[in-house]
Amino acid sequence: MGSAQEKLYLKLARNSMVKDRHVKLSDVATLTGTDPAMVRQLKQMKIYSFPEKGKKSEYVQVMSSLKMIEMIQKEYPNADISNEGEADFVIEYEAKMQPGKTAEIVKTALLCVGVFLGAAFSIMAFNNDISITELFGNLYEQVTGAQPAGTTELEICYCIGLPIGVIIFFNHFGNKKITNDPTPIQVEMRKYEKDVDETYIENAGRGGEELDVG
């Protein structure tokens, strides 16, 4: 089908989330080449189909770049293919199962309550561990020369500074970011996603579940 020695550049993403169970090459990769018609046709080439109904574990598939090259060469035997992306990649199918609005509200409320209680417990445990009340009392006495009577300026400043410090550290308040830098949560999420993808790839390779040549 293809012209002799048409150059094709293929860049595969490590992880691709698809909403259509019939996966096309353009869903997992960006392509360019010397033959625009070849590139257009390859973008529409189906590379995998997820089951219409299946377990959640069946909605994740690991494939190799060699398998992609093999499939492309069946259509364009003379194409000179250069892979500029990942050697192995993960495809995740997001089935169209939209929960109701009530369920979303309940889940969000439970998550907020859990996060609030967990954060409160952590702060109280930390304060108790370092005996923050005794520490503030000793500091107040050293500075003023008098025993603290009830709540002092130290406790008030601490209560104000704690949430401000949390907001500045996480670089996020509501829907707005303080700076354009990635937040610590975003950084950790990217690390987590990278570890998950590597685990998918390694497990598929060891279990012989990866779609590869041969």
Side-chain angles (χ1 to χ4, degrees):
M1 289 178 62
S3 303
Q5 293 301 310
E6 290 291 353
K7 190 69 177 178
L8 176 68
Y9 294 94
L10 178 72
K11 184 179 180 182
L12 291 161
R14 174 177 285 269
N15 184 295
S16 298
M17 181 74 71
V18 297
K19 297 185 181 296
D20 189 342
R21 68 186 188 91
H22 300 295
V23 185
K24 298 180 294 185
L25 184 56
S26 60
D27 293 329
V28 301
T30 53
L31 298 93
T32 188
T34 55
D35 186 349
M38 176 181 67
V39 173
R40 285 196 301 270
Q41 292 186 31
L42 286 175
K43 285 182 177 181
Q44 302 303 316
M45 183 178 71
K46 187 171 71 173
I47 61 172
Y48 187 77
S49 291
F50 287 97
E52 188 172 359
K53 294 182 180 179
K55 300 178 182 177
K56 191 173 182 180
S57 59
E58 296 177 330
Y59 291 159
V60 178
Q61 181 60 54
V62 178
M63 301 182 72
S64 75
S65 59
L66 292 179
K67 185 64 176 179
M68 292 297 95
I69 293 174
E70 180 185 60
M71 295 174 70
I72 293 171
Q73 287 181 333
K74 286 182 179 179
E75 300 293 325
Y76 294 88
N78 296 321
D80 183 9
I81 306 170
S82 178
N83 178 29
E84 306 296 329
E86 300 290 334
D88 301 284
F89 61 98
V90 180
I91 309 173
E92 295 187 65
Y93 171 48
E94 186 179 13
K96 296 178 181 179
M97 296 183 295
Q98 297 294 334
K101 188 175 181 180
T102 303
E104 284 292 329
I105 294 175
V106 172
K107 287 167 60 178
T108 303
L110 291 176
L111 179 62
C112 290
V113 170
V115 171
F116 175 80
L117 293 178
F121 178 79
S122 299
I123 293 172
M124 289 188 294
F126 171 77
N127 290 338
N128 184 65
D129 187 52
I130 64 174
S131 301
I132 193 70
T133 303
E134 183 180 350
L135 176 64
F136 281 166
N138 293 335
L139 182 60
Y140 183 86
E141 184 177 0
Q142 291 175 2
V143 173
T144 64
Q147 288 285 344
T151 303
T152 66
E153 293 84 352
L154 292 176
E155 284 83 0
I156 295 173
C157 292
Y158 179 73
C159 292
I160 296 173
L162 183 62
I164 293 175
V166 170
I167 292 171
I168 293 175
F169 174 77
F170 285 102
N171 190 26
H172 200 274
F173 183 76
N175 294 326
K176 296 182 179 180
K177 293 171 61 177
I178 300 174
T179 68
N180 292 326
D181 297 332
T183 68
I185 294 178
Q186 289 175 323
V187 173
E188 291 303 318
M189 284 299 297
R190 297 297 87 78
K191 289 181 180 179
Y192 172 75
E193 290 174 356
K194 183 178 180 181
D195 291 341
V196 169
D197 291 338
E198 290 178 352
T199 302
Y200 275 139
I201 292 171
E202 291 178 5
N203 287 346
R206 292 177 182 178
E209 298 174 354
E210 180 179 12
L211 287 184
D212 205 345
V213 295

